[in-house]
Amino acid sequence: MPLFCDVALAVPLDMVFTYAIPLGMEPVVGGRVLVPFRQQRMSGIVVELHDRPPQVKTKKVIEALDLSPVLDEHLLKLGKWIADYYLAPVGEVFRTMLPLSAEFKRSIAYRITDEGRMALHLAGMSGSPARSKRTPEQQLVEFRVLDYLAERESVRAENLRGTTRVGKALLAGMVRKRWIAREDVSAARDAARLVKVAVLIGAEAAEASPPLDPSTSLRAGSRGARPHTSSAKKLNENQRTLIETLAASGGRVPVEALRGLDVPRTTLGTLVRRGMIGLVDEPQDFTASGVKLSKLKPRPSPFEFEFSAAQKEALAKIGAAVGSRKFGGLLLHGITGSGKTAVYLACMREVLEQGRSSILLVPEIGLTPAVAADLHQVFGDEVAILHSGLSDAERAEQWHRIRRGEARVVAGTRSAVFAPVSDLALVIVDEEQDSSYKQEETPRYHARDVAVMRAKMAGAVVVLGSATPSLESYYNAKKNKYALVELPDRVEMRPLPEVEIVDMRQEFQETGQEQVISRKLAEEIRERLEKKEQVMVLLNRRGYSPVVLCRACGKTLQCKNCAVSMTHHKRERKMECHYCGHVEHIPDKCAHCGSEYVYFVGTGSEKLEELLHGMFPQARIGRLDRDTVRGREDFERALNALNEGALDMLVGTQMIAKGHDIHGVTLVGVVGADMALGLPDFRAAERTFQLLTQVAGRAGRGQSPGKVVLQTYFQEHYAVQFAARHDFAGFYEKELQFRAWMHYPPYSAIANVLIRSEKLDEALTWSGELGRWFEKTRHEGIRVLGPAAAPITRLKRDYRYHFILKSPSREKMNALLRAMLAEAAARKIPRTQVIVDVDAVWLM
Ligand SMILES: [Zn+2]
Ligand SMILES: [Zn+2]
């Protein structure tokens, strides 16, 4: 066995640490070890075993935690690539890749002992506890604890203290008396959040279920592998309802959810006894993830309709690429409603049938319970779904399932790109332009770009799908780095909506006042409502009013932590900072001059909803933004309400542009979606074009094309003009010219270097020092802009200065950045205060 190992620890230092391996211990490369680090114990990943004695005295590894690697060769290599490409400490990269932190969180639990049970029993018999020195109150508390534990197996310390309100000292006393025992539990094995799930077994699934896709039913049917002689005829109506509901929801539903059916509880028991339904414990959120029963109504199979010629062609191209077992990249450019998802699912099913693995990445908001239900319907329990609602323990559980090969299909948000699947054949990135793929903390990786690299390393195929591809991906397709596959038509040849632009400057001149809803939009809305049609209105800013202004001194109310205005939230009666979450009372006078002339200026989605209520009092209006939507389920509930006709109008932020499955909207109003065009950000035009295109895609019902009324203050801007004409190619050409001219991506690599400190003089000194260093350092071909105050000069208490680097050569840029980090370290600037953001998507 080698004498030393190099360990990557999750600390903000760009290095690995060497430890001595004690005799008899056998750590493995890619496995975890427990090591001493600065007075504490930490776990890290072994990156190398060797016999080279280090210069300094080494400490010893405490424990080797894994017998086999948790990061295989491919993932180790990928992690090192990320550390190198994004200039992130490799230990922090590995921590992000491995969702196993729950396994290190030691937690204490208590259980009752036999002595404890006896004491409880005796107390119950005699009516009064045995004599002792303790006060009666103390004894009562102790018996309350025993009583509580007697009915449970093992209770975590924090739960026990929370429910019985006892202190640590009292519990320690009970442990000494041996009434209760303490134990270490690992959070990953915590069974507290297990739920009972009903699973369909046997051939009845196929017979009793509504006509499903045959392969789906077969899959559900073969799960139990215990075919019964047909007993379907003997099922009564309640039993049929239960079985059909199960079959329609992919063969498994939490028992709790089945209670919502109008079926006696005994029915489930009967079917379990007859061997038609099994009951298993699974972590919550794991299967149909707390889906309300109304959503478990039979959903149409994703494959029910006939694939269009374009879809078939896309399938064939992806299939051929996968079959070649070589790296390949495809950009699937399919306009909104062209049926991309069906293509994804079909490809993934093909891969699964070959016994290989696939990963589907979706944006944060895209992984709704309905999407999860679709995935379960097609893949049964061979799919693992990773979303932000999972606890650490559940995430770890899913990770192990994937690693054991039980789930060969993985769907999830950003970090699912690190899923430890073996024999990876296909990675799909849906809505690849979505900004939620970029992690805005260390390591600042972009999941789309990591997906491409992972596919490259594994010899797999990567498919980037979008209705509005990012400039980078479209450019790569044009340069033949990716094969371009187009789905040019909406399903069933639905026509694109007509877009009418309303110039809001002209509206102001003609009406003499600032309007939120133009006369044209108001008229169109009225018309739709009279025809009982549905309307959607987008305003990409939440809250009631974004600015509070003093008319006496002209000052605005700013967040005390950030250099941004506080937003007024009327219903919640508060002022809130949208950057750091700081909340204040609504001011009745100016904080600067004491004047009472404070005005609330501007309109957010909350005020828009109120305005529309005033204009159309009969209309039922719903709102969709971060204030009304707390999770994926709220999001889906609002869209369901719209689809079921419970709403006439839906207003909201960009969230409403991202909902799938919207069918009945014939008019989309766009109010202030072009605000971004006024920001100092080179991606503003791209973002605006994408948002306008997405929201326009929501208009139209059946054969009726629908209409979009686009209100703008930037009527001549090419992003607005091309979006109104549905002209993707035109926009990309124009935007690429601008990017080339300004040396922005995709023509240059770009990095944002942010220097931050809570102390203004530190931020100034450090950025000044690094600015002088950049000046005297040779960096041919690399443009360094700055130091300059960041557009948001103060954020979350930090003062912020930044540099922007642009370079045609990524290697040269990263070399310069690495030298800059070394210089910063030499000048004792803390690593956490120098943020290097390679391929930054956000320059504010
Ligand atoms: Zn004032
Ligand atoms: Zn703030």
Side-chain angles (χ1 to χ4, degrees), residues 799-829:
Y799 292 92
R800 309 159 81 239
Y801 288 82
H802 73 157
F803 300 90
I804 291 174
L805 274 66
K806 299 179 192 175
S807 166
S809 154
R810 185 173 291 283
E811 289 69 36
K812 280 186 187 165
M813 183 178 84
N814 279 18
L816 181 66
L817 286 168
R818 213 161 277 123
M820 183 274 297
L821 282 174
E823 174 72 12
R827 290 180 178 274
K828 302 263 182 283
I829 305 175

PDB file of all heavy atoms in Angstrom, residues 799-829:
ATOM      1  N   TYR A 799     -19.556  45.720  -0.516  1.00  0.00           N
ATOM      2  CA  TYR A 799     -19.252  46.665  -1.578  1.00  0.00           C
ATOM      3  C   TYR A 799     -18.578  45.891  -2.691  1.00  0.00           C
ATOM      4  O   TYR A 799     -17.805  44.968  -2.422  1.00  0.00           O
ATOM      5  CB  TYR A 799     -18.341  47.779  -1.060  1.00  0.00           C
ATOM      6  CG  TYR A 799     -19.056  48.665  -0.075  1.00  0.00           C
ATOM      7  CD1 TYR A 799     -18.997  48.391   1.288  1.00  0.00           C
ATOM      8  CD2 TYR A 799     -19.819  49.733  -0.518  1.00  0.00           C
ATOM      9  CE1 TYR A 799     -19.687  49.184   2.198  1.00  0.00           C
ATOM     10  CE2 TYR A 799     -20.513  50.530   0.388  1.00  0.00           C
ATOM     11  CZ  TYR A 799     -20.451  50.253   1.743  1.00  0.00           C
ATOM     12  OH  TYR A 799     -21.142  51.016   2.632  1.00  0.00           O
ATOM     13  N   ARG A 800     -18.883  46.249  -3.952  1.00  0.00           N
ATOM     14  CA  ARG A 800     -18.465  45.390  -5.055  1.00  0.00           C
ATOM     15  C   ARG A 800     -17.785  46.172  -6.180  1.00  0.00           C
ATOM     16  O   ARG A 800     -18.318  47.156  -6.674  1.00  0.00           O
ATOM     17  CB  ARG A 800     -19.680  44.649  -5.623  1.00  0.00           C
ATOM     18  CG  ARG A 800     -20.486  43.952  -4.554  1.00  0.00           C
ATOM     19  CD  ARG A 800     -21.900  43.658  -5.000  1.00  0.00           C
ATOM     20  NE  ARG A 800     -21.997  42.468  -5.820  1.00  0.00           N
ATOM     21  CZ  ARG A 800     -22.462  42.431  -7.038  1.00  0.00           C
ATOM     22  NH1 ARG A 800     -22.853  43.545  -7.629  1.00  0.00           N
ATOM     23  NH2 ARG A 800     -22.543  41.299  -7.698  1.00  0.00           N
ATOM     24  N   TYR A 801     -16.613  45.691  -6.545  1.00  0.00           N
ATOM     25  CA  TYR A 801     -15.903  46.224  -7.711  1.00  0.00           C
ATOM     26  C   TYR A 801     -15.601  45.064  -8.633  1.00  0.00           C
ATOM     27  O   TYR A 801     -15.502  43.930  -8.179  1.00  0.00           O
ATOM     28  CB  TYR A 801     -14.619  46.933  -7.267  1.00  0.00           C
ATOM     29  CG  TYR A 801     -14.938  48.236  -6.586  1.00  0.00           C
ATOM     30  CD1 TYR A 801     -15.303  48.261  -5.242  1.00  0.00           C
ATOM     31  CD2 TYR A 801     -14.964  49.417  -7.311  1.00  0.00           C
ATOM     32  CE1 TYR A 801     -15.670  49.450  -4.633  1.00  0.00           C
ATOM     33  CE2 TYR A 801     -15.325  50.622  -6.708  1.00  0.00           C
ATOM     34  CZ  TYR A 801     -15.677  50.629  -5.364  1.00  0.00           C
ATOM     35  OH  TYR A 801     -16.051  51.790  -4.788  1.00  0.00           O
ATOM     36  N   HIS A 802     -15.522  45.351  -9.931  1.00  0.00           N
ATOM     37  CA  HIS A 802     -15.261  44.199 -10.800  1.00  0.00           C
ATOM     38  C   HIS A 802     -14.388  44.526 -11.997  1.00  0.00           C
ATOM     39  O   HIS A 802     -14.174  45.687 -12.344  1.00  0.00           O
ATOM     40  CB  HIS A 802     -16.567  43.519 -11.236  1.00  0.00           C
ATOM     41  CG  HIS A 802     -17.374  44.270 -12.255  1.00  0.00           C
ATOM     42  ND1 HIS A 802     -18.282  43.660 -13.074  1.00  0.00           N
ATOM     43  CD2 HIS A 802     -17.396  45.575 -12.584  1.00  0.00           C
ATOM     44  CE1 HIS A 802     -18.842  44.556 -13.862  1.00  0.00           C
ATOM     45  NE2 HIS A 802     -18.331  45.710 -13.581  1.00  0.00           N
ATOM     46  N   PHE A 803     -13.845  43.447 -12.540  1.00  0.00           N
ATOM     47  CA  PHE A 803     -13.103  43.484 -13.803  1.00  0.00           C
ATOM     48  C   PHE A 803     -13.850  42.586 -14.780  1.00  0.00           C
ATOM     49  O   PHE A 803     -14.391  41.559 -14.374  1.00  0.00           O
ATOM     50  CB  PHE A 803     -11.701  42.895 -13.647  1.00  0.00           C
ATOM     51  CG  PHE A 803     -10.831  43.602 -12.655  1.00  0.00           C
ATOM     52  CD1 PHE A 803     -10.820  43.226 -11.322  1.00  0.00           C
ATOM     53  CD2 PHE A 803      -9.992  44.644 -13.073  1.00  0.00           C
ATOM     54  CE1 PHE A 803     -10.008  43.872 -10.406  1.00  0.00           C
ATOM     55  CE2 PHE A 803      -9.174  45.291 -12.153  1.00  0.00           C
ATOM     56  CZ  PHE A 803      -9.180  44.903 -10.825  1.00  0.00           C
ATOM     57  N   ILE A 804     -13.852  42.973 -16.053  1.00  0.00           N
ATOM     58  CA  ILE A 804     -14.373  42.052 -17.062  1.00  0.00           C
ATOM     59  C   ILE A 804     -13.227  41.709 -18.008  1.00  0.00           C
ATOM     60  O   ILE A 804     -12.546  42.602 -18.509  1.00  0.00           O
ATOM     61  CB  ILE A 804     -15.553  42.678 -17.826  1.00  0.00           C
ATOM     62  CG1 ILE A 804     -16.754  42.797 -16.881  1.00  0.00           C
ATOM     63  CG2 ILE A 804     -15.929  41.818 -19.034  1.00  0.00           C
ATOM     64  CD1 ILE A 804     -17.931  43.522 -17.476  1.00  0.00           C
ATOM     65  N   LEU A 805     -13.002  40.424 -18.181  1.00  0.00           N
ATOM     66  CA  LEU A 805     -11.951  39.960 -19.076  1.00  0.00           C
ATOM     67  C   LEU A 805     -12.579  39.367 -20.319  1.00  0.00           C
ATOM     68  O   LEU A 805     -13.534  38.597 -20.224  1.00  0.00           O
ATOM     69  CB  LEU A 805     -11.099  38.883 -18.389  1.00  0.00           C
ATOM     70  CG  LEU A 805      -9.920  39.357 -17.521  1.00  0.00           C
ATOM     71  CD1 LEU A 805     -10.432  40.118 -16.316  1.00  0.00           C
ATOM     72  CD2 LEU A 805      -9.080  38.171 -17.077  1.00  0.00           C
ATOM     73  N   LYS A 806     -12.027  39.729 -21.471  1.00  0.00           N
ATOM     74  CA  LYS A 806     -12.488  39.134 -22.728  1.00  0.00           C
ATOM     75  C   LYS A 806     -11.264  38.631 -23.466  1.00  0.00           C
ATOM     76  O   LYS A 806     -10.255  39.348 -23.536  1.00  0.00           O
ATOM     77  CB  LYS A 806     -13.166  40.186 -23.608  1.00  0.00           C
ATOM     78  CG  LYS A 806     -14.388  40.853 -23.027  1.00  0.00           C
ATOM     79  CD  LYS A 806     -14.882  41.866 -24.066  1.00  0.00           C
ATOM     80  CE  LYS A 806     -15.924  42.798 -23.496  1.00  0.00           C
ATOM     81  NZ  LYS A 806     -16.280  43.840 -24.489  1.00  0.00           N
ATOM     82  N   SER A 807     -11.375  37.418 -23.977  1.00  0.00           N
ATOM     83  CA  SER A 807     -10.213  36.868 -24.666  1.00  0.00           C
ATOM     84  C   SER A 807     -10.642  35.864 -25.716  1.00  0.00           C
ATOM     85  O   SER A 807     -11.502  35.028 -25.466  1.00  0.00           O
ATOM     86  CB  SER A 807      -9.297  36.171 -23.657  1.00  0.00           C
ATOM     87  OG  SER A 807      -8.350  35.379 -24.324  1.00  0.00           O
ATOM     88  N   PRO A 808     -10.012  35.945 -26.910  1.00  0.00           N
ATOM     89  CA  PRO A 808     -10.324  34.924 -27.916  1.00  0.00           C
ATOM     90  C   PRO A 808      -9.769  33.561 -27.510  1.00  0.00           C
ATOM     91  O   PRO A 808     -10.250  32.538 -27.966  1.00  0.00           O
ATOM     92  CB  PRO A 808      -9.648  35.447 -29.188  1.00  0.00           C
ATOM     93  CG  PRO A 808      -8.688  36.499 -28.746  1.00  0.00           C
ATOM     94  CD  PRO A 808      -9.103  36.978 -27.397  1.00  0.00           C
ATOM     95  N   SER A 809      -8.766  33.539 -26.648  1.00  0.00           N
ATOM     96  CA  SER A 809      -8.200  32.265 -26.206  1.00  0.00           C
ATOM     97  C   SER A 809      -8.560  32.015 -24.754  1.00  0.00           C
ATOM     98  O   SER A 809      -8.165  32.755 -23.856  1.00  0.00           O
ATOM     99  CB  SER A 809      -6.675  32.274 -26.355  1.00  0.00           C
ATOM    100  OG  SER A 809      -6.107  31.366 -25.427  1.00  0.00           O
ATOM    101  N   ARG A 810      -9.321  30.950 -24.534  1.00  0.00           N
ATOM    102  CA  ARG A 810      -9.732  30.595 -23.179  1.00  0.00           C
ATOM    103  C   ARG A 810      -8.526  30.177 -22.330  1.00  0.00           C
ATOM    104  O   ARG A 810      -8.438  30.497 -21.153  1.00  0.00           O
ATOM    105  CB  ARG A 810     -10.742  29.459 -23.264  1.00  0.00           C
ATOM    106  CG  ARG A 810     -11.347  29.057 -21.966  1.00  0.00           C
ATOM    107  CD  ARG A 810     -12.437  28.050 -22.205  1.00  0.00           C
ATOM    108  NE  ARG A 810     -13.594  28.635 -22.864  1.00  0.00           N
ATOM    109  CZ  ARG A 810     -14.486  29.392 -22.236  1.00  0.00           C
ATOM    110  NH1 ARG A 810     -14.336  29.664 -20.971  1.00  0.00           N
ATOM    111  NH2 ARG A 810     -15.510  29.888 -22.872  1.00  0.00           N
ATOM    112  N   GLU A 811      -7.578  29.470 -22.943  1.00  0.00           N
ATOM    113  CA  GLU A 811      -6.414  29.000 -22.194  1.00  0.00           C
ATOM    114  C   GLU A 811      -5.632  30.185 -21.632  1.00  0.00           C
ATOM    115  O   GLU A 811      -5.263  30.210 -20.467  1.00  0.00           O
ATOM    116  CB  GLU A 811      -5.495  28.147 -23.089  1.00  0.00           C
ATOM    117  CG  GLU A 811      -6.056  26.785 -23.461  1.00  0.00           C
ATOM    118  CD  GLU A 811      -7.251  26.869 -24.412  1.00  0.00           C
ATOM    119  OE1 GLU A 811      -7.250  27.776 -25.298  1.00  0.00           O
ATOM    120  OE2 GLU A 811      -8.190  26.067 -24.268  1.00  0.00           O
ATOM    121  N   LYS A 812      -5.414  31.191 -22.503  1.00  0.00           N
ATOM    122  CA  LYS A 812      -4.655  32.363 -22.049  1.00  0.00           C
ATOM    123  C   LYS A 812      -5.404  33.097 -20.953  1.00  0.00           C
ATOM    124  O   LYS A 812      -4.809  33.574 -19.991  1.00  0.00           O
ATOM    125  CB  LYS A 812      -4.411  33.314 -23.226  1.00  0.00           C
ATOM    126  CG  LYS A 812      -3.264  32.886 -24.118  1.00  0.00           C
ATOM    127  CD  LYS A 812      -2.998  33.953 -25.162  1.00  0.00           C
ATOM    128  CE  LYS A 812      -1.966  33.471 -26.158  1.00  0.00           C
ATOM    129  NZ  LYS A 812      -1.966  34.328 -27.365  1.00  0.00           N
ATOM    130  N   MET A 813      -6.731  33.208 -21.115  1.00  0.00           N
ATOM    131  CA  MET A 813      -7.511  33.922 -20.107  1.00  0.00           C
ATOM    132  C   MET A 813      -7.425  33.205 -18.759  1.00  0.00           C
ATOM    133  O   MET A 813      -7.213  33.829 -17.722  1.00  0.00           O
ATOM    134  CB  MET A 813      -8.973  34.032 -20.551  1.00  0.00           C
ATOM    135  CG  MET A 813      -9.827  34.824 -19.575  1.00  0.00           C
ATOM    136  SD  MET A 813     -11.532  34.992 -20.139  1.00  0.00           S
ATOM    137  CE  MET A 813     -12.216  33.449 -19.553  1.00  0.00           C
ATOM    138  N   ASN A 814      -7.571  31.875 -18.777  1.00  0.00           N
ATOM    139  CA  ASN A 814      -7.526  31.137 -17.517  1.00  0.00           C
ATOM    140  C   ASN A 814      -6.140  31.198 -16.882  1.00  0.00           C
ATOM    141  O   ASN A 814      -6.018  31.232 -15.661  1.00  0.00           O
ATOM    142  CB  ASN A 814      -7.983  29.688 -17.728  1.00  0.00           C
ATOM    143  CG  ASN A 814      -9.513  29.597 -17.744  1.00  0.00           C
ATOM    144  OD1 ASN A 814     -10.190  30.606 -17.924  1.00  0.00           O
ATOM    145  ND2 ASN A 814     -10.050  28.409 -17.562  1.00  0.00           N
ATOM    146  N   ALA A 815      -5.093  31.222 -17.721  1.00  0.00           N
ATOM    147  CA  ALA A 815      -3.737  31.331 -17.174  1.00  0.00           C
ATOM    148  C   ALA A 815      -3.579  32.672 -16.458  1.00  0.00           C
ATOM    149  O   ALA A 815      -3.018  32.750 -15.362  1.00  0.00           O
ATOM    150  CB  ALA A 815      -2.706  31.192 -18.295  1.00  0.00           C
ATOM    151  N   LEU A 816      -4.100  33.723 -17.072  1.00  0.00           N
ATOM    152  CA  LEU A 816      -4.013  35.047 -16.452  1.00  0.00           C
ATOM    153  C   LEU A 816      -4.808  35.088 -15.145  1.00  0.00           C
ATOM    154  O   LEU A 816      -4.367  35.635 -14.139  1.00  0.00           O
ATOM    155  CB  LEU A 816      -4.540  36.110 -17.429  1.00  0.00           C
ATOM    156  CG  LEU A 816      -4.481  37.556 -16.915  1.00  0.00           C
ATOM    157  CD1 LEU A 816      -3.039  38.016 -16.728  1.00  0.00           C
ATOM    158  CD2 LEU A 816      -5.200  38.507 -17.866  1.00  0.00           C
ATOM    159  N   LEU A 817      -5.999  34.478 -15.165  1.00  0.00           N
ATOM    160  CA  LEU A 817      -6.829  34.456 -13.961  1.00  0.00           C
ATOM    161  C   LEU A 817      -6.137  33.691 -12.834  1.00  0.00           C
ATOM    162  O   LEU A 817      -6.190  34.081 -11.668  1.00  0.00           O
ATOM    163  CB  LEU A 817      -8.189  33.829 -14.266  1.00  0.00           C
ATOM    164  CG  LEU A 817      -9.150  34.711 -15.079  1.00  0.00           C
ATOM    165  CD1 LEU A 817     -10.337  33.898 -15.585  1.00  0.00           C
ATOM    166  CD2 LEU A 817      -9.637  35.890 -14.247  1.00  0.00           C
ATOM    167  N   ARG A 818      -5.475  32.602 -13.211  1.00  0.00           N
ATOM    168  CA  ARG A 818      -4.780  31.805 -12.194  1.00  0.00           C
ATOM    169  C   ARG A 818      -3.643  32.622 -11.575  1.00  0.00           C
ATOM    170  O   ARG A 818      -3.450  32.626 -10.358  1.00  0.00           O
ATOM    171  CB  ARG A 818      -4.250  30.518 -12.846  1.00  0.00           C
ATOM    172  CG  ARG A 818      -4.250  29.346 -11.891  1.00  0.00           C
ATOM    173  CD  ARG A 818      -4.182  28.019 -12.623  1.00  0.00           C
ATOM    174  NE  ARG A 818      -5.472  27.591 -13.082  1.00  0.00           N
ATOM    175  CZ  ARG A 818      -5.787  27.315 -14.341  1.00  0.00           C
ATOM    176  NH1 ARG A 818      -4.872  27.450 -15.284  1.00  0.00           N
ATOM    177  NH2 ARG A 818      -6.985  26.939 -14.659  1.00  0.00           N
ATOM    178  N   ALA A 819      -2.939  33.343 -12.421  1.00  0.00           N
ATOM    179  CA  ALA A 819      -1.854  34.195 -11.913  1.00  0.00           C
ATOM    180  C   ALA A 819      -2.427  35.296 -11.018  1.00  0.00           C
ATOM    181  O   ALA A 819      -1.834  35.651  -9.990  1.00  0.00           O
ATOM    182  CB  ALA A 819      -1.088  34.807 -13.090  1.00  0.00           C
ATOM    183  N   MET A 820      -3.584  35.813 -11.406  1.00  0.00           N
ATOM    184  CA  MET A 820      -4.221  36.865 -10.608  1.00  0.00           C
ATOM    185  C   MET A 820      -4.599  36.320  -9.219  1.00  0.00           C
ATOM    186  O   MET A 820      -4.404  36.995  -8.203  1.00  0.00           O
ATOM    187  CB  MET A 820      -5.463  37.370 -11.354  1.00  0.00           C
ATOM    188  CG  MET A 820      -6.216  38.518 -10.723  1.00  0.00           C
ATOM    189  SD  MET A 820      -7.436  38.016  -9.502  1.00  0.00           S
ATOM    190  CE  MET A 820      -8.559  37.061 -10.499  1.00  0.00           C
ATOM    191  N   LEU A 821      -5.131  35.080  -9.190  1.00  0.00           N
ATOM    192  CA  LEU A 821      -5.497  34.481  -7.895  1.00  0.00           C
ATOM    193  C   LEU A 821      -4.261  34.280  -7.018  1.00  0.00           C
ATOM    194  O   LEU A 821      -4.311  34.481  -5.802  1.00  0.00           O
ATOM    195  CB  LEU A 821      -6.217  33.147  -8.110  1.00  0.00           C
ATOM    196  CG  LEU A 821      -7.688  33.244  -8.531  1.00  0.00           C
ATOM    197  CD1 LEU A 821      -8.250  31.862  -8.844  1.00  0.00           C
ATOM    198  CD2 LEU A 821      -8.525  33.921  -7.451  1.00  0.00           C
ATOM    199  N   ALA A 822      -3.150  33.898  -7.639  1.00  0.00           N
ATOM    200  CA  ALA A 822      -1.911  33.720  -6.879  1.00  0.00           C
ATOM    201  C   ALA A 822      -1.458  35.056  -6.306  1.00  0.00           C
ATOM    202  O   ALA A 822      -1.028  35.150  -5.151  1.00  0.00           O
ATOM    203  CB  ALA A 822      -0.835  33.114  -7.781  1.00  0.00           C
ATOM    204  N   GLU A 823      -1.571  36.103  -7.116  1.00  0.00           N
ATOM    205  CA  GLU A 823      -1.213  37.447  -6.661  1.00  0.00           C
ATOM    206  C   GLU A 823      -2.112  37.871  -5.492  1.00  0.00           C
ATOM    207  O   GLU A 823      -1.636  38.408  -4.487  1.00  0.00           O
ATOM    208  CB  GLU A 823      -1.347  38.434  -7.838  1.00  0.00           C
ATOM    209  CG  GLU A 823      -1.135  39.897  -7.484  1.00  0.00           C
ATOM    210  CD  GLU A 823       0.338  40.209  -7.186  1.00  0.00           C
ATOM    211  OE1 GLU A 823       1.196  39.362  -7.481  1.00  0.00           O
ATOM    212  OE2 GLU A 823       0.605  41.312  -6.643  1.00  0.00           O
ATOM    213  N   ALA A 824      -3.402  37.603  -5.624  1.00  0.00           N
ATOM    214  CA  ALA A 824      -4.339  37.959  -4.558  1.00  0.00           C
ATOM    215  C   ALA A 824      -3.982  37.217  -3.272  1.00  0.00           C
ATOM    216  O   ALA A 824      -4.003  37.790  -2.179  1.00  0.00           O
ATOM    217  CB  ALA A 824      -5.771  37.635  -4.990  1.00  0.00           C
ATOM    218  N   ALA A 825      -3.611  35.933  -3.409  1.00  0.00           N
ATOM    219  CA  ALA A 825      -3.239  35.147  -2.224  1.00  0.00           C
ATOM    220  C   ALA A 825      -1.981  35.729  -1.589  1.00  0.00           C
ATOM    221  O   ALA A 825      -1.888  35.852  -0.367  1.00  0.00           O
ATOM    222  CB  ALA A 825      -3.029  33.688  -2.613  1.00  0.00           C
ATOM    223  N   ALA A 826      -1.017  36.109  -2.435  1.00  0.00           N
ATOM    224  CA  ALA A 826       0.231  36.677  -1.923  1.00  0.00           C
ATOM    225  C   ALA A 826      -0.032  37.991  -1.189  1.00  0.00           C
ATOM    226  O   ALA A 826       0.657  38.335  -0.239  1.00  0.00           O
ATOM    227  CB  ALA A 826       1.211  36.903  -3.075  1.00  0.00           C
ATOM    228  N   ARG A 827      -1.047  38.723  -1.633  1.00  0.00           N
ATOM    229  CA  ARG A 827      -1.387  39.978  -0.969  1.00  0.00           C
ATOM    230  C   ARG A 827      -2.376  39.773   0.164  1.00  0.00           C
ATOM    231  O   ARG A 827      -2.975  40.723   0.667  1.00  0.00           O
ATOM    232  CB  ARG A 827      -1.995  40.954  -1.991  1.00  0.00           C
ATOM    233  CG  ARG A 827      -0.984  41.464  -2.978  1.00  0.00           C
ATOM    234  CD  ARG A 827      -1.604  42.421  -3.973  1.00  0.00           C
ATOM    235  NE  ARG A 827      -0.591  42.911  -4.874  1.00  0.00           N
ATOM    236  CZ  ARG A 827       0.179  43.966  -4.613  1.00  0.00           C
ATOM    237  NH1 ARG A 827       0.002  44.647  -3.501  1.00  0.00           N
ATOM    238  NH2 ARG A 827       1.099  44.347  -5.464  1.00  0.00           N
ATOM    239  N   LYS A 828      -2.590  38.525   0.509  1.00  0.00           N
ATOM    240  CA  LYS A 828      -3.468  38.167   1.638  1.00  0.00           C
ATOM    241  C   LYS A 828      -4.911  38.653   1.454  1.00  0.00           C
ATOM    242  O   LYS A 828      -5.582  39.023   2.415  1.00  0.00           O
ATOM    243  CB  LYS A 828      -2.912  38.726   2.960  1.00  0.00           C
ATOM    244  CG  LYS A 828      -1.508  38.259   3.293  1.00  0.00           C
ATOM    245  CD  LYS A 828      -1.549  37.083   4.262  1.00  0.00           C
ATOM    246  CE  LYS A 828      -0.163  36.617   4.660  1.00  0.00           C
ATOM    247  NZ  LYS A 828       0.504  35.808   3.588  1.00  0.00           N
ATOM    248  N   ILE A 829      -5.344  38.693   0.212  1.00  0.00           N
ATOM    249  CA  ILE A 829      -6.769  38.968  -0.024  1.00  0.00           C
ATOM    250  C   ILE A 829      -7.493  37.630   0.116  1.00  0.00           C
ATOM    251  O   ILE A 829      -7.152  36.677  -0.592  1.00  0.00           O
ATOM    252  CB  ILE A 829      -7.016  39.541  -1.442  1.00  0.00           C
ATOM    253  CG1 ILE A 829      -6.141  40.785  -1.654  1.00  0.00           C
ATOM    254  CG2 ILE A 829      -8.492  39.859  -1.638  1.00  0.00           C
ATOM    255  CD1 ILE A 829      -6.215  41.352  -3.065  1.00  0.00           C
TER     256      ILE A 829
END
